[in-house]
Amino acid sequence: MLRNPSEKLTNAMIMIIIGSIALLCIVPMIHIFALSFSGNRALMSGEVFLWPVDWNLNSYKEIFSDMAMIRSLMLTVILVTVYTGIALAMTTIAAYALSRRDFKGKNIMFGMIIITMFFNPGIIPNYLLMKELHLLDSLASLILPIAINAFLLIIMKTSFSQIPTELEDSAWMDGCNHFRFLIQIVLPLQVPILVTIALYSAVDRWNMFQDALFYINNIDLYPLQLKLYQLVINSQVNDATAQEGFNSSTPIPQGLQSASIVFATLPIILVYPWVQKYFISGRLVGAVKG
Amino acid sequence: MQISTRQQNRLFTANRRRIAAVKRQWPLYIFMLAPMAFFIIFKYLPMAGVVVAFKDYNIFKGVIGSEWIGLDVFREIFAQPQFYKALRNTLMLNVISLLTFPVPIILAILLNELRMKWFKRLSQTLLYLPHFISWVIVGGMAIRLLATNTGSVNEFITGLGGTPIPFLEDSLHWIATYVGIGVWRHAGWGMILYLAALTGINKELYEAADVDGASRMRKIWHITLPGIKPTIVVLFIIQIGHMADIGFEQPYALQNGYVMDVAQVISTYVYTVGIQSAQFALATAVGLFQSVVGVILLLSAELVSRKVNNQGIF
């Protein structure tokens, strides 16, 4: 394939460039991983780079003995599961109804949904709504406000619309109704898009930070990312100000910080190789919609 | 006006047919019940909630009970230097980030030039990965790696006898770090769309160019780039449309007390003023200002896209 030496050389150069950029993406993560398994003395002397020095599990033992951390993890798992279920169910029924050919008011409803993608009233009206509905400091505040994502709904609707109308016609002839058609024909045919929407929703809530920061004050209800923010970012900011004499909080050891980063990221990194094709197909389907 | 019996009958059957259609489709109305309720409560009520910006909001009186005060709140924010600072920072960080727009394009073209399948696939996987790391974790990693006293990178630099670089503590360095981390997290993800566009280019064009003895650079310049031009234009226009909108998590996770002068953007300012200091009317007004500018920019982007590409974005 490669005809001459100069082409081989460019090829090697491109490989080196792409390879180093790819390494740049992964090296910080490996470094944090190595820090989390290293002993305190090795951490202090700064000799840990990509491989743990003085291997031990102390940081992880500390995390797993921290009840607040375990509680945050459990809470996040529950949140992600419940949210994904609700989001998937709501998006599916709406996408199904909107992808059928005729019913009165369909276009008005679809128009109303599209409009919500253009105008975002900002965070305070949303916060005040949560407040007036008495949803602050509840898990519902992290689930309900985004139970349907208009953008994902459109992706799903587009996909449902591709089911041939002949199939629907013949199903109706055989006495099928909407419920049976949805459950027995549409859903089995649409597994890839269902998986895509479920994964987007699950990752969104696993990584969710903003909503939790706004709506959750009760420390017992902190999801993982908020807990992590408090542990890894906030403590560091305090640490920096402490040196100027503003604050005397004890700094959190870097082994513990690294371990909690790994702890909260590992689930995503572990499932990532298997699920990335769904994310990419979802990204491509929705590409034009930005 | 008189209506003949025939017309009356026709109207009657038409009505009946319409009612019959609605009856047949009743499950669809049931399906739409919960979703529409969701959109009305959680999307449209907050839209109506922006009236708070024109009211003297009182927690006890609620949104509806509070008194109207017209544009006073807007006069107040336009008199505040912090508001201008947040606006300036938002625009500044977005404009500087816009300079990194070509990075995903370059990555996609480079990757496209690679012949080894396994290497291509492995690098792609690694390049997308940072997109799935939450901003809190990215922020935590940034501190772990880049802090002046304790960060690994600076320990490495001092270990080599250099002076530590204040990546996160000095304004100019912070801006560069902010933009760099944005590229780190998004370039691979942004690349996907260009890679997809690249597969759509007619292979015969390359073969014809080979016959003519075109070099690699010439092929990229005359075939590849024109081939993905529509994608580039659309994505560029979309990004311009989002100039006023910076998101919350990235600036919030990366900012710290030393760099607030450049790191306080509109979204974090709204949070500080609104939720932390409970000045709801003021923060709503700032948010409304940002949303209105955002809608204007997006609609202009749509118009420009229709002009340039003969096709809208939405």
Side-chain angles (χ1 to χ4, degrees):
Chain A
M1 260 218 322
L2 303 174
R3 275 150 302 173
N4 55 50
S6 92
E7 190 148 333
K8 264 188 189 162
L9 187 71
T10 7
N11 237 34
M13 267 168 60
I14 295 173
M15 270 181 77
I16 291 170
I17 295 171
I18 285 282
S20 13
I21 296 173
L23 275 181
L24 209 62
C25 289
I26 190 87
V27 160
M29 297 181 213
I30 299 177
H31 177 67
I32 301 281
F33 192 78
L35 287 179
S36 73
F37 283 102
S38 295
N40 268 335
R41 231 191 20 218
L43 290 172
M44 293 301 241
S45 64
E47 55 190 291
V48 185
F49 183 41
L50 292 179
W51 195 250
V53 176
D54 187 14
W55 270 92
N56 71 63
L57 291 170
N58 289 346
S59 306
Y60 288 94
K61 275 186 199 141
E62 205 167 326
I63 288 181
F64 283 103
S65 60
D66 179 359
M67 276 322 290
M69 198 68 173
I70 299 300
R71 184 208 289 268
S72 284
L73 175 70
M74 304 276 276
L75 209 69
T76 306
V77 170
I78 294 170
L79 185 75
V80 166
T81 316
V82 173
Y83 172 72
T84 306
I86 292 180
L88 199 56
M90 293 271 276
T91 313
T92 305
I93 53 172
Y96 175 79
L98 291 173
S99 63
R100 295 307 93 197
R101 275 164 297 168
D102 55 338
F103 78 91
K104 255 181 105 61
K106 181 181 122 171
N107 290 334
I108 297 171
M109 291 183 192
F110 193 52
M112 280 178 71
I113 292 168
I114 298 280
I115 288 173
T116 63
M117 289 173 61
F118 281 91
F119 186 76
N120 165 14
I123 59 182
I124 303 298
N126 281 303
Y127 177 83
L128 292 178
L129 178 69
M130 290 297 121
K131 199 178 169 71
E132 302 213 345
L133 292 176
H134 299 286
L135 289 179
L136 288 182
D137 269 332
S138 74
L139 286 190
S141 70
L142 306 179
I143 293 175
L144 293 180
I146 54 152
I148 307 182
N149 177 322
F151 170 62
L152 295 182
L153 171 61
I154 291 169
I155 293 180
M156 204 189 241
K157 177 193 175 268
T158 312
S159 178
F160 281 10
S161 302
Q162 281 155 3
I163 294 173
T165 47
E166 289 83 2
L167 196 62
E168 196 187 341
D169 291 339
S170 56
W172 281 97
M173 296 288 267
D174 292 341
C176 207
N177 59 31
H178 278 300
F179 301 100
R180 282 189 56 186
F181 186 66
L182 171 61
I183 290 166
Q184 295 187 333
I185 296 173
V186 176
L187 294 188
L189 283 174
Q190 296 289 327
V191 170
I193 193 76
L194 296 175
V195 174
T196 307
I197 305 294
L199 287 171
Y200 265 95
S201 310
V203 170
D204 178 74
R205 283 298 97 171
W206 180 272
N207 282 342
M208 168 260 322
F209 167 61
Q210 183 181 345
D211 288 357
L213 181 71
F214 292 173
Y215 303 143
I216 305 291
N217 262 320
N218 183 349
I219 203 161
D220 289 337
L221 284 176
Y222 273 17
L224 208 50
Q225 303 294 335
L226 198 51
K227 186 86 196 138
L228 213 67
Y229 180 81
Q230 187 195 26
L231 193 70
V232 181
I233 300 184
N234 227 4
S235 82
Q236 202 72 27
V237 175
N238 285 342
D239 194 19
T241 43
Q243 287 162 359
E244 301 199 338
F246 290 120
N247 195 317
S248 55
S249 70
T250 42
I252 290 162
Q254 48 175 331
L256 182 60
Q257 289 188 356
S258 308
S260 34
I261 290 176
V262 174
F263 173 78
T265 321
L266 214 54
I268 296 238
I269 303 222
L270 287 182
V271 297
Y272 170 72
W274 287 278
V275 301
Q276 60 159 323
K277 68 169 186 216
Y278 291 105
F279 279 106
I280 290 161
S281 65
R283 172 114 172 104
L284 292 179
V285 174
V288 223
K289 299 282 185 289
Chain B
M1 217 167 90
Q2 275 205 333
I3 307 173
S4 71
T5 358
R6 203 135 135 243
Q7 273 175 318
Q8 235 170 3
N9 273 345
R10 204 181 294 152
L11 266 178
F12 185 64
T13 37
N15 259 344
R16 275 239 309 247
R17 220 174 278 148
R18 213 170 292 149
I19 292 166
V22 169
K23 267 188 184 159
R24 201 173 61 241
Q25 303 292 21
W26 65 267
L28 296 182
Y29 293 102
I30 293 188
F31 284 172
M32 285 312 283
L33 216 59
M36 282 321 284
F38 160 80
F39 278 103
I40 289 167
I41 296 172
F42 292 107
K43 298 288 166 189
Y44 281 92
L45 278 186
M47 285 188 200
V50 299
V51 296
V52 169
F54 306 96
K55 287 188 164 198
D56 181 16
Y57 182 78
N58 180 317
I59 303 179
F60 303 104
K61 289 182 184 163
V63 174
I64 299 165
S66 297
E67 272 144 55
W68 294 95
I69 48 167
L71 294 174
D72 284 3
V73 182
F74 286 92
R75 279 187 205 109
E76 196 178 334
I77 56 169
F78 290 132
Q80 277 196 357
Q82 290 106 307
F83 167 73
Y84 291 102
K85 200 179 266 178
L87 182 63
R88 179 202 71 189
N89 292 342
T90 304
L91 294 175
M92 173 189 70
L93 290 174
N94 276 340
V95 168
I96 298 174
S97 299
L98 193 65
L99 297 179
T100 66
F101 184 82
V103 176
I105 305 174
I106 296 168
L107 281 179
I109 291 175
L110 282 177
L111 215 57
N112 195 49
E113 294 292 314
L114 279 177
R115 295 287 171 270
M116 287 164 92
K117 277 266 162 59
W118 68 268
F119 185 79
K120 203 168 159 177
R121 197 171 311 149
L122 179 69
S123 338
Q124 271 183 41
T125 304
L126 294 182
L127 287 168
Y128 310 145
L129 184 59
H131 180 78
F132 295 96
I133 313 289
S134 77
W135 273 118
V136 171
I137 289 175
V138 174
M141 283 169 57
I143 293 170
R144 204 47 292 119
L145 291 163
L146 303 174
T148 311
N149 295 323
T150 50
S152 304
V153 172
N154 276 319
E155 274 173 8
F156 186 70
I157 292 174
T158 44
L160 291 178
T163 41
I165 301 165
F167 291 106
L168 297 168
E169 290 90 351
D170 166 74
S171 294
L172 282 179
H173 284 93
W174 186 85
I175 295 171
T177 310
Y178 176 94
V179 175
I181 290 177
V183 173
W184 180 78
R185 189 159 183 270
H186 289 311
W189 189 241
M191 177 185 79
I192 296 175
L193 299 178
Y194 297 109
L195 280 178
L198 284 170
T199 58
I201 299 175
N202 190 349
K203 293 279 174 297
E204 284 170 27
L205 293 175
Y206 290 104
E207 282 155 24
D210 277 336
V211 173
D212 291 344
S215 71
R216 231 190 244 236
M217 281 314 286
R218 286 198 83 90
K219 279 188 278 183
I220 290 176
W221 188 253
H222 291 293
I223 303 171
T224 312
L225 276 178
I228 58 173
K229 192 182 139 211
T231 312
I232 297 177
V233 172
V234 167
L235 292 179
F236 190 77
I237 293 171
I238 290 178
Q239 204 165 336
I240 299 280
H242 285 294
M243 266 298 126
D245 162 23
I246 198 165
F248 175 82
E249 296 191 2
Q250 181 180 4
Y252 193 75
L254 294 176
Q255 67 181 207
N256 61 61
Y258 297 115
V259 292
M260 274 318 196
D261 229 22
V262 292
Q264 184 79 295
V265 292
I266 289 187
S267 52
T268 55
Y269 175 68
V270 169
Y271 170 69
T272 322
V273 172
I275 296 179
Q276 287 186 333
S277 331
Q279 292 176 279
F280 295 114
L282 201 65
T284 307
V286 177
L288 182 60
F289 170 81
Q290 185 190 15
S291 300
V292 170
V293 176
V295 170
I296 293 171
L297 282 174
L298 264 185
L299 291 180
S300 333
E302 169 78 5
L303 279 180
V304 173
S305 170
R306 278 183 202 278
K307 275 253 156 60
V308 178
N309 276 0
N310 293 320
Q311 187 197 341
I313 302 164
F314 299 99

